[in-house]
Amino acid sequence: MTVRRTALRPPGRLSTRDSRNGRTPDGVDEPEGSEPSRALRVLRTVAAPTTLLAALLYFFGQQQAHHFFRYFGVHHSVMGLSTEDYLLRSIDGLYPPMTAVAIATLAGLWGYRLLRPRLSDYAWLVLLRVLAPIAAVGGLALIVFAVIAVLDPAPFIEFVAIPGLCLTIGVLLLASVARLRASITESRRDSRPRGSPPAAVAEWTATFVLVSLGLFWAVGDYSAAVGKGRGQAFEANLSRMAGATVYSKDDLRLAGVPRVHCQGAEAAYRFRYDGLTLVIQSGGKYFLLPRDWTPRARAVVVPTADSLRLEFTAPATAPPPTC
């Protein structure tokens, strides 16, 4: 008697033939949810998550810094901020949007878990059929609004993050409607798709890209608004901040800043400038503002050098009468 030996396959692995057919060793079709996972794998091959996250944080921090210094009439590149400075500044413009997205996601998931068991399959299907046209029309309107904002952004400057959110929500609504229609069609035919056709993977990839771009747009706008808001808050608190006095060996000719000429023979610095507040020291420069600064006044940026010395005083402290 001849005994045949059958090679056993490790559990959870597919043969080449079964993998091509989109089936498991038991002949069971792959789940439909494989398209999103394969789309995510496609996106992961394009950009490493760590590199992408660092680039996003850098961009949002640069947006915040650009609009903060722009409020005072200074370009952010003048200050020579480091990468660490931009990454730290991105926190202000990133935490609130991330928190809002997380809360909205949890609310949607919890709402679905609460509502779905309370409805029969027929009632759930009827509800989805009623909501689908509304979602389709709403999603299309939101995308049109976002496109208009791209073509003519000026009227939407005051609507912080709204165009980007419209793009994200509109794409999600249309994708949900398309997925629902596909599910209904498959249930009527009593058949399931086998494998993940390239068209489905491309559809999910495009959806992820558009949703990500919308969120990127919204968070970028929010970071810009945070930068401008930080500038306005700094201006409002100028009178309550520590004062800075600049001593210089040479005349800096700072317009609008009180100057005292030090006449003493023992004076190491010949000129003194009062009524200033230090905003930041970075890249070998001091960024100072007059304590009575207004948007029409000038900001002061001077290089750090041995010919300069800064002294700081408590708020509302009068400068000394002499050097």
Side-chain angles (χ1 to χ4, degrees):
M1 180 177 63
T2 302
V3 179
R4 294 184 178 180
R5 295 182 177 179
T6 303
L8 297 178
R9 278 180 286 179
R13 301 188 59 180
L14 300 178
S15 66
T16 305
R17 182 183 62 185
D18 291 338
S19 176
R20 287 197 302 265
N21 293 335
R23 291 175 172 270
T24 62
D26 297 330
V28 180
D29 293 335
E30 284 185 339
E32 295 179 333
S34 59
E35 288 91 346
S37 61
R38 293 192 180 190
L40 286 174
R41 286 199 295 271
V42 171
L43 295 175
R44 283 200 297 266
T45 60
V46 176
T50 303
T51 304
L52 180 61
L53 178 60
L56 290 176
L57 291 175
Y58 182 88
F59 173 80
F60 296 141
Q62 190 181 59
Q63 284 286 95
Q64 199 262 28
H66 172 74
H67 287 82
F68 174 80
F69 290 105
R70 182 184 179 184
Y71 183 77
F72 301 108
V74 177
H75 197 276
H76 72 280
S77 61
V78 174
M79 298 309 304
L81 298 176
S82 64
T83 300
E84 290 78 7
D85 292 329
Y86 288 127
L87 294 179
L88 290 174
R89 286 179 175 271
S90 68
I91 296 175
D92 277 353
L94 195 59
Y95 275 5
M98 289 181 62
T99 303
V101 170
I103 291 176
T105 302
L106 287 177
L109 292 174
W110 290 342
Y112 173 80
R113 290 181 181 178
L114 180 64
L115 182 63
R116 183 64 183 90
R118 300 176 183 272
L119 298 176
S120 63
D121 292 339
Y122 177 77
W124 181 253
L125 184 60
V126 171
L127 178 62
L128 291 180
R129 287 180 175 177
V130 172
L131 294 178
I134 300 175
V137 174
L140 184 60
L142 291 174
I143 292 178
V144 170
F145 180 86
V147 171
I148 294 175
V150 171
L151 298 177
D152 187 15
F156 304 94
I157 293 178
E158 300 299 328
F159 297 92
V160 178
I162 296 300
L165 290 178
C166 286
L167 176 61
T168 297
I169 298 174
V171 170
L172 288 176
L173 289 176
L174 290 182
S176 301
V177 172
R179 190 64 180 171
L180 175 61
R181 288 177 60 86
S183 301
I184 294 176
T185 302
E186 292 165 8
S187 63
R188 288 177 178 175
R189 294 177 181 177
D190 195 21
S191 63
R192 299 178 62 187
R194 298 185 178 184
S196 298
V201 177
E203 178 185 354
W204 279 101
T205 302
T207 301
F208 287 139
V209 169
L210 289 175
V211 170
S212 300
L213 287 176
L215 291 175
F216 182 85
W217 183 4
V219 176
D221 285 352
Y222 180 79
S223 297
V226 168
K228 182 178 179 181
R230 292 290 182 267
Q232 293 172 339
F234 196 95
E235 177 194 0
N237 292 305
L238 271 174
S239 61
R240 294 186 289 272
M241 293 183 177
T245 301
V246 178
Y247 290 87
S248 174
K249 293 181 179 180
D250 303 314
D251 189 359
L252 300 177
R253 300 184 183 276
L254 303 180
V257 179
R259 185 192 67 173
V260 176
H261 193 181
C262 303
Q263 301 290 347
E266 298 180 355
Y269 298 90
R270 298 174 53 216
F271 300 94
R272 190 189 76 196
Y273 300 88
D274 301 316
L276 295 170
T277 296
L278 178 66
V279 180
I280 187 174
Q281 185 271 322
S282 179
K285 298 180 181 68
Y286 294 118
F287 175 30
L288 304 119
L289 289 176
R291 298 179 68 84
D292 56 353
W293 184 90
T294 63
R296 294 184 179 182
R298 296 182 181 182
V300 177
V301 178
V302 295
T304 58
D306 295 336
S307 59
L308 295 180
R309 187 183 89 237
L310 265 64
E311 289 186 357
F312 300 95
T313 57
T317 300
T322 59
C323 296

